[in-house]
Amino acid sequence: MKPLTLITHHYNGHDRVITLLDHIASFAEEIRSKLSIIVVDDYSDESQALPKYDLEITQYRVLTDIPWNQCGARNLGVFMCQTPWALLFDVDQHPREKGIKYILHHYEQLEPDTMYSFRVANYFDANDNQALEVHPNTLLVPVTNFKEFGMYDEDFAGNYGYEDLYLPVMWEMRGGKRIVLGKDIYFDDVGYKTSSLTRNIEVNKPIAHTKILNGSPKPKNFLRFDWVRVNHRE
């Protein structure tokens, strides 16, 4: 079994996925051979198969139109994951080769109750343009405990925000820990932003507040949409 699956997702970002996969395909073979990759197309306007790479890639497509369904897309990726660890990140977060190498060299020493974050270069918050050192959506998670503790809460799907902020609160309420892994920068933000969707937090903000007041309950009713596996382009 490979030790690590990279999970990313996109909406109308096929070309950006190709750029990301071209980047990962440039890594040394000793790294690539230990990776699985899952790409989730979150109901893009057009279904486009990925070309073949010298990489183990599986692509899924969400068939239900749910705006801001990144929580569902990520959950689908984790449910399909067959490795002990999963690295979840947005398509505009490019992992550095040395970062993946660090994970592969140390994953057996990582704690199974811990979510790991990473330092990222050139990342600015989409809401206030403030420079941030760590991206909240880039996470290395132990797959078994991630499923057991509670994954992304799909009550936030359909509107913008707070699924990434509620997840660590819920995780820590169940005894999980969070750590920034390593001392170096292991990701680069390449600056993509989804411009066709409204970033309005006013719907999800009170949902998150109510959940936290109620003890941060474990999410339920996962994968509230239809989906299909997409074959590679010949």
Side-chain angles (χ1 to χ4, degrees):
M1 177 189 293
K2 296 176 186 287
L4 179 65
T5 297
L6 312 185
I7 300 174
T8 193
H9 53 93
H10 73 96
Y11 170 71
N12 287 341
H14 180 79
D15 291 344
R16 296 168 181 176
V17 174
I18 296 297
T19 300
L20 172 64
L21 294 177
D22 286 345
H23 168 65
I24 297 172
S26 71
F27 293 176
E29 194 278 335
E30 65 174 298
I31 294 176
R32 290 185 282 110
S33 65
K34 297 177 181 177
L35 301 177
S36 293
I37 300 173
I38 292 176
V39 177
V40 179
D41 172 3
D42 190 12
Y43 197 73
S44 296
D45 294 338
E46 179 183 358
S47 178
Q48 295 178 275
L50 295 170
K52 288 186 175 180
Y53 286 86
D54 186 20
L55 295 164
E56 182 182 293
I57 304 172
T58 309
Q59 182 183 9
Y60 299 94
R61 174 171 166 80
V62 174
L63 301 176
T64 307
D65 186 7
I66 304 174
W68 295 112
N69 187 40
Q70 58 266 33
C71 47
R74 286 177 170 234
N75 283 344
L76 175 58
V78 174
F79 270 118
M80 297 298 106
C81 180
Q82 300 296 314
T83 59
W85 289 89
L87 179 60
L88 300 108
F89 55 95
D90 294 344
V91 72
D92 61 355
Q93 303 297 301
H94 283 200
R96 295 184 179 182
E97 183 172 2
K98 69 176 182 179
I100 301 300
K101 184 177 181 180
Y102 184 91
I103 295 171
L104 292 174
H105 283 184
H106 293 88
Y107 76 92
E108 292 180 324
Q109 288 79 50
L110 300 180
E111 298 293 334
D113 63 349
T114 301
M115 284 197 307
Y116 294 90
S117 300
F118 300 86
R119 292 175 177 83
V120 56
N122 303 315
Y123 171 54
F124 294 86
D125 187 277
N127 296 303
D128 58 16
N129 206 38
Q130 178 182 353
L132 298 175
E133 184 181 19
V134 174
H135 196 297
N137 278 339
T138 300
L139 296 171
L140 177 67
V141 301
V143 173
T144 298
N145 277 344
F146 192 67
K147 293 176 181 178
E148 177 64 27
F149 285 21
M151 301 161 64
Y152 284 94
D153 193 328
E154 294 180 38
D155 286 352
F156 294 106
N159 293 283
Y160 176 71
Y162 280 92
E163 82 288 337
D164 55 339
L165 301 179
Y166 180 69
L167 172 66
V169 174
M170 182 272 300
W171 177 266
E172 291 181 334
M173 282 291 293
R174 277 151 189 78
K177 296 178 290 187
R178 292 191 294 149
I179 295 176
V180 177
L181 187 62
K183 298 180 180 179
D184 294 334
I185 293 173
Y186 288 150
F187 275 82
D188 291 288
D189 186 299
V190 297
Y192 303 143
K193 300 298 175 190
T194 302
S195 59
S196 59
L197 295 174
T198 301
R199 296 177 183 271
N200 181 356
I201 65 172
E202 296 307 315
V203 175
N204 281 349
K205 183 177 181 179
I207 294 175
H209 183 66
T210 299
K211 286 179 178 290
I212 292 172
L213 286 178
N214 289 331
S216 304
K218 179 179 177 179
K220 56 185 179 180
N221 299 329
F222 299 109
L223 306 188
R224 307 173 190 180
F225 47 84
D226 296 322
W227 54 271
V228 66
R229 180 170 175 169
V230 180
N231 294 325
H232 293 293
R233 188 172 70 220
E234 297 295 337

